[in-house]
Amino acid sequence: MCPRCARIVLVNIVYLLAHLFFALQKLLRLSRRLLPLLLVVLNEWRFNPRVCDRHHRAKWGLKSVNIYVRHGSIAAVVGTVGSGMSSVAPRNSEKEKAIEEWLPITSSRNAKWWYSAFHNVTAMVGAGVLGLPYALSELGWGPGIMVLILSWIITLYTLWQMVEMHEMVPGKRFDRYHELGQHAFGERLGLWIVVPQQLIVEIGVCIVYMVTGGKSLKKFHDTVCPDCKNIKVTYFIMIFASVHFVLSQLPNFNSISGVSLAAAVMSLSYSTIAWGASVDKGKQEGVEYGYKSHSPAGTIFNFFSALGDVAFAYAGHNVVLEIQATIPSTPEKPSKKPMWRGVLIAYIVVALCYFPVALVGFWAFGNSVEDNILISLQKPRWLIATANMMVVIHVIGSYQIYAMPVFDMAETVLVKKLHFPPGIVLRLIARSTYVAITMFLGMTFPFFGGLLGFFGGFAFAPTTYFLPCVMWLSLYKPRKYSLSWIANWICIVLGVLLMVLSPIGGLRQIILQAKTYKFYS
């Protein structure tokens, strides 16, 4: 494909996405206008459960006391004294409770601390770890090691902030990323700040993992049977997607814990194979560690693109609150303690995967390393085939981890806004549709990884590197120039730089690779 055609395709994709976005917006507006007046009123008024506890009912001799609060002021009080009459609010709250118990994020709260450990490993250690040696070759030894270490420290710090803020309001849990955003920035603004970025990350990662799973299956097939007939990647993506049509029907995070555990073990295994085989292969003859590009502009753009690759490797923050929501919590034993224990274990595993693969891979192959370290290794054949199958198993679990919050958002809109009855049929249709869409996009746009490097820079960096810091400053208001204030602002500045610079490199990468793009290849 020529560069001019590639640019036309890119413009058409962005144009189509914009039209889909506005069409969805209009559909939601129309559905709201068609709702009955009673539902509009109930959505506007909020029930305050703190005033309606047993103490107040006993004190006033009321069977039920319903106090509605709007904009902080009491608007109406309705009580029934032993009359057997039931009010709208209790019935409505019972319905809301039933819906919350059906939704995937809040339906099960009996997870153990080790669940959070392997869920976070599965979410964090993506197949992007195999591209870290290539990223290091574009960053160079000094800057590359510094970026890896800083990213590990900053993301661990922002992850700790999110774990702490999960239950910062006594008696309330922020089970979803956008709920914390709404608490920090306001109901409407918080939704618009968090949800678009979170959806870009989660849907984008799912599409990338569709492509990664299909390509890894093809590599496994070609390695095991090099003389067999060539099969298109498209068919392998369809095979990979068929697994998710089944697994996506599992209701919540706890139900996919076995899949997530297997994925976490596989991520540590293929990472170990990658750096262990590199050590065994040794330093290659004539290896060079300088920048591959011969022009200053090319070096700078490659540097920016590598920053985006590192940011992609630390995308687990988008599901951390949803994972913590599955852990039981009481005032005596808050969920943050077991969650933080699991996060620490997960980050130790992350360090064991990321640093050896990046450093040893770059040491062995220098700037000639491929964007997937397994391609550079090639032999022994059986070991590379095993590693590729491990990648397939891992991205199966990772896809499910990132898809679950999207399922929760979609089912929330369908049940609460559009008033579809919750059940197996709704879940089957909604989730199968999502899997089919990500499969279709993965097959249609083989350059989606590069496209994600461009668009994802706007979402990966904020949700992981500095949005938790902005929320922390807004909610806790640390003293100016204190250690907490300085640390948060350093993270914000570095995160904003990453958000601005990485899409520049991603855009150039799309343009340069446009000539080799083939649809349904």
Side-chain angles (χ1 to χ4, degrees), residues 105-126:
I105 299 302
T106 50
S107 61
S108 180
R109 295 189 188 270
N110 57 359
K112 308 298 182 184
W113 71 265
W114 53 85
Y115 283 38
S116 72
F118 52 74
H119 280 328
N120 277 291
V121 170
T122 303
M124 191 74 70
V125 185

Side-chain angles (χ1 to χ4, degrees), residues 197-223:
Q197 297 181 86
Q198 191 178 13
L199 284 177
I200 289 173
V201 172
E202 288 166 352
I203 297 174
V205 167
C206 285
I207 297 171
V208 167
Y209 282 163
M210 273 287 178
V211 178
T212 303
K215 286 184 176 180
S216 296
L217 272 177
K218 179 175 171 56
K219 288 172 189 172
F220 174 80
H221 171 268
D222 294 345
T223 305

Side-chain angles (χ1 to χ4, degrees), residues 62-141:
L62 299 179
K63 190 169 182 178
S64 64
V65 178
N66 306 325
I67 297 183
Y68 298 92
V69 180
R70 187 182 185 186
H71 303 301
S73 62
I74 298 176
V77 181
V78 180
T80 58
V81 186
S83 61
M85 295 175 63
S86 60
S87 60
V88 177
R91 287 202 302 269
N92 189 53
S93 62
E94 287 174 9
K95 183 181 178 181
E96 289 288 324
K97 185 180 178 183
I99 291 173
E100 286 294 320
E101 290 176 352
W102 179 79
L103 291 171
I105 299 302
T106 50
S107 61
S108 180
R109 295 189 188 270
N110 57 359
K112 308 298 182 184
W113 71 265
W114 53 85
Y115 283 38
S116 72
F118 52 74
H119 280 328
N120 277 291
V121 170
T122 303
M124 191 74 70
V125 185
V129 64
L130 299 176
L132 287 178
Y134 181 78
L136 200 64
S137 71
E138 293 182 331
L139 293 170
W141 274 119

